[in-house]
Amino acid sequence: MKKPLLLLAMFITTVGVQAQYYWTDYDEPGKLDLADQLKYNLEMQGSVSDGKTPLWLNANRHGLSSLEKENGYVRGSLIRPLRADSARRWGVGYGVDVVAPINYTSNFIIQQAFVEGRWLHGALMIGAKEIPMEMKNQTLSTGSQTLGINARPVPQVRVSLPEYWRIPILGGWFQLKGHVAYGKLTDDNWQRDFTQQQSKYSTGTRFHSKAGFLKIGNEERFYPWSLEMGLEMGALFGGESYVPTENGMTVFKGDNGVKGMWHALMPGGADSPEKGTEYQNAEGDQLGSWMVRLNYDDETWAFRLYAEKFFEDHSMMLQLDYNGYGTGDEWNVKKDRRFFLYNMKDILVGMELNFKYGTWIRNFVLEYFYSKYQSGPVYHDHTPAFADHISGRDDYYNHYIYSGWQHWGQVMGNPLYRSPIYNEDGTIHIHNNRSKAFHLGVDGSPLERLSYRALITYQNGLGTYDLPYTRLQHYVGFLAEASYQLPKGWSVKGAYAMDFGHLLGENWGAQVTVSKSGLLKKKKEN
């Protein structure tokens, strides 16, 4: 990948823009009170199942889930959001969220622990925080393919423009936002235990993510149409990777220093086994998504049409690869203006309808997911004997050195890629990344205190190019969930879900959650 971050550079270098924070309208926000809008939440959850916990009872919950037949947790959090200081030019947010689980991969979980600050439009966050997806419904979508909400938060340092900034020129029709982050995975011990150190695993792995988004639209002129488009990218680098070879377990050390961080930000360099060879890929496990969403926002309803194009290398990122090498002594020399054009088959396409005053139906989401292509079934680096270069067999979420795009056994993207936590062979490997799926999600609030959510998914899978299934395998899953808000901040939620087919097995399960939330400090009445 050769410096693919045009959108990222746009938001980093842009200055002198305006955003719609309350501090632009208030001259005297008052004295800072770090206890103001400090919210507490106490929660208890229990799940029972026949077989494993069904997919939609454990997926897209920021990794706070378990596949065990009986599991649960007690959870407590204190969180003060940055928006508490939206009326001032700078703000402070912080939070701690701890969990005492039963039958989880850990005996004690620090789900969130962070502090963040904002000056004007820019923000800095240090720690682990649950970060929502971009351009998708948080509870009805299958999830984002790069930066999803399926795995535990990664502790990181994150610099961002969290809200869209409006550029004052060109009539204020263009807005920008994005982030850059570096962190470290925390599942070293889990990887050792899960693999029994008999198959590939990694320790000390560094994490990097970045994104840049451009929005074309102007809400202030009451224009209902807008267009958002951008790029998300992630990388795993550094640390030590343990890979079985003919000589036993071979250790490959990554670069934890400034050079490794730079090659994660601007993909380049090479992994240690490739250094000094003719064939070199970018250092680390690099991946990303192109994203676009068309919005229509009316007074009573809204419509959103979105697409996400996932990629694991520069060829699928650009849908184009150089293929004009010479022959003989010039086999590694670029001779001709010749390129290989890849298909646009792999994509997630979705639509969302929002009825702002709807009761029985409030939000409706429909998605189509396809990942079978992966640049095609042929991978061939050009050689002196055969000059053609085709970079197929991308093997989404897997990597030949690193343990892949996962954290604590759950993929960090879309859970329709089967997570390693399902594997019973002790391998940290995504065994089904070539699939097609249709998904429907709907929610509503038929009564003032009663709300519901329903999901249904159909998927068929081929495994991977290297380890294909002997026949097409299927999955059908659904979730029915209802929540009732009781007085004084209490709520109770019940859910039932089932899995059918060979991809995840035959499972059914029920889940009950009871919670109490509120502000720790009540506002004084005038």
Side-chain angles (χ1 to χ4, degrees):
M1 300 180 186
K2 301 297 184 181
K3 300 183 179 180
L5 308 177
L6 175 60
L7 294 174
L8 186 64
M10 288 173 61
F11 95 80
I12 290 177
T13 57
T14 300
V15 295
V17 295
Q18 296 179 350
Q20 300 308 302
Y21 286 101
Y22 290 136
W23 58 260
T24 60
D25 301 319
Y26 288 84
D27 294 328
E28 297 181 3
K31 184 179 179 181
L32 175 66
D33 183 357
L34 292 180
D36 181 37
Q37 297 189 40
L38 179 60
K39 185 177 181 179
Y40 71 87
N41 184 71
L42 301 173
E43 187 172 281
M44 182 170 61
Q45 183 181 99
S47 301
V48 295
S49 62
D50 181 17
K52 296 180 175 65
T53 303
L55 177 68
W56 294 124
L57 286 183
N58 78 80
N60 287 339
R61 297 166 185 250
H62 296 280
L64 197 58
S65 58
S66 171
L67 295 185
E68 296 295 327
K69 292 182 178 181
E70 298 176 351
N71 66 80
Y73 64 74
V74 176
R75 180 181 187 181
S77 67
L78 286 172
I79 295 178
R80 183 182 192 267
L82 266 180
R83 64 176 178 270
D85 293 324
S86 62
R88 62 180 70 248
R89 292 177 176 271
W90 56 274
V92 176
Y94 59 89
V96 60
D97 181 2
V98 297
V99 182
I102 299 174
N103 291 332
Y104 273 51
T105 53
S106 302
N107 295 322
F108 181 76
I109 300 172
I110 301 178
Q111 181 71 2
Q112 301 182 85
F114 65 91
V115 60
E116 55 187 341
R118 176 185 57 80
W119 170 249
L120 300 182
H121 310 284
L124 170 66
M125 189 275 289
I126 301 175
K129 181 183 179 183
E130 295 180 352
I131 299 172
M133 298 181 292
E134 296 284 352
M135 296 192 190
K136 293 184 180 68
N137 188 294
Q138 304 300 307
T139 57
L140 299 183
S141 170
T142 58
S144 290
Q145 296 189 80
T146 299
L147 304 178
I149 59 173
N150 190 57
R152 290 191 199 175
V154 176
Q156 58 192 267
V157 177
R158 180 184 177 102
V159 179
S160 67
L161 304 178
E163 305 292 340
Y164 275 115
W165 284 21
R166 178 171 288 111
I167 303 175
I169 61 174
L170 302 176
W173 284 85
F174 295 89
Q175 304 171 54
L176 301 169
K177 72 175 179 178
H179 82 270
V180 176
Y182 286 93
K184 185 176 181 292
L185 303 189
T186 60
D187 62 350
D188 292 1
N189 291 334
W190 176 85
Q191 290 199 36
R192 292 190 188 97
D193 294 341
F194 189 80
T195 62
Q196 295 295 301
Q197 302 183 52
Q198 299 300 307
S199 60
K200 181 180 63 180
Y201 68 97
S202 303
T203 62
T205 305
R206 271 51 173 177
F207 168 87
H208 167 67
S209 70
K210 52 185 169 279
F213 295 94
L214 169 68
K215 183 177 181 180
I216 304 173
N218 195 332
E219 297 86 349
E220 291 185 351
R221 298 194 179 186
F222 303 101
Y223 188 73
W225 291 97
S226 64
L227 178 67
E228 297 174 83
M229 49 190 171
L231 171 68
E232 286 187 343
M233 293 188 68
L236 301 177
F237 69 101
E240 297 182 341
S241 296
Y242 299 80
V243 181
T245 63
E246 295 179 354
N247 300 321
M249 195 68 77
T250 301
V251 182
F252 298 105
K253 294 186 176 181
D255 191 337
N256 296 327
V258 174
K259 184 181 291 186
M261 296 174 66
W262 174 252
H263 287 156
L265 177 67
M266 307 296 283
D271 288 318
S272 55
E274 299 175 352
K275 291 180 179 179
T277 68
E278 297 290 349
Y279 307 113
Q280 295 186 10
N281 295 300
E283 183 177 352
D285 185 6
Q286 302 270 356
L287 46 83
S289 295
W290 292 106
M291 304 175 72
V292 62
R293 187 173 74 175
L294 178 66
N295 309 300
Y296 180 84
D297 195 351
D298 192 65
E299 291 183 1
T300 60
W301 66 283
F303 172 78
R304 302 174 182 92
L305 180 65
Y306 55 90
E308 180 181 8
K309 180 68 179 68
F310 182 71
F311 57 85
E312 283 259 7
D313 56 22
H314 76 278
S315 58
M316 281 299 283
M317 179 183 183
L318 304 176
Q319 296 296 122
L320 196 68
D321 204 3
Y322 183 79
N323 196 20
Y325 292 96
T327 58
D329 293 338
E330 296 181 318
W331 71 276
N332 205 25
V333 178
K334 295 181 179 180
K335 300 287 292 183
D336 303 316
R337 294 179 61 84
R338 183 183 176 202
F339 298 87
F340 187 92
L341 182 65
Y342 295 89
N343 289 329
M344 284 283 293
K345 291 182 177 180
D346 290 350
I347 198 167
L348 187 155
V349 179
M351 61 86 68
E352 179 181 356
L353 275 172
N354 169 233
F355 302 100
K356 298 181 180 181
Y357 303 102
T359 55
W360 284 98
I361 297 179
R362 179 69 56 85
N363 296 287
F364 177 92
V365 169
L366 181 65
E367 291 184 340
Y368 168 76
F369 171 93
Y370 191 95
S371 66
K372 293 181 179 180
Y373 179 57
Q374 301 192 24
S375 302
V378 176
Y379 181 89
H380 181 268
D381 279 314
H382 60 287
T383 65
F386 194 73
D388 284 335
H389 178 85
I390 303 175
S391 297
R393 305 169 69 94
D394 287 343
D395 205 8
Y396 292 167
Y397 286 18
N398 289 316
H399 192 267
Y400 78 111
I401 294 178
Y402 291 96
S403 52
W405 196 242
Q406 67 83 42
H407 193 213
W408 289 90
Q410 296 277 18
V411 297
M412 290 190 285
N414 192 299
L416 294 182
Y417 297 97
R418 178 176 146 152
S419 291
I421 199 170
Y422 283 93
N423 299 345
E424 297 178 355
D425 58 2
T427 62
I428 303 177
H429 187 267
I430 285 74
H431 285 309
N432 181 58
N433 59 21
R434 298 183 60 226
S435 66
K436 178 172 69 173
F438 299 91
H439 173 80
L440 172 67
V442 62
D443 67 17
S445 183
L447 300 175
E448 182 180 359
R449 294 180 178 270
L450 178 67
S451 60
Y452 78 92
R453 174 174 69 126
L455 307 176
I456 185 167
T457 308
Y458 168 80
Q459 180 183 18
N460 62 48
L462 296 172
T464 67
Y465 274 122
D466 291 336
L467 296 171
Y469 296 142
T470 55
R471 61 184 179 87
L472 189 67
Q473 295 193 7
H474 300 272
Y475 163 77
V476 176
F478 78 86
L479 166 75
E481 181 181 271
S483 177
Y484 192 80
Q485 300 296 318
L486 297 167
K488 298 183 179 181
W490 286 92
S491 71
V492 59
K493 180 167 60 179
Y496 181 81
M498 297 186 73
D499 296 337
F500 302 95
H502 294 285
L503 280 177
L504 300 182
E506 306 283 335
N507 311 299
W508 67 264
Q511 189 175 84
V512 176
T513 308
V514 178
S515 64
K516 172 74 166 67
S517 62
L519 294 177
L520 198 65
K521 179 181 178 180
K522 294 184 179 181
K523 291 185 177 181
K524 295 182 180 180
E525 297 183 0
N526 294 328

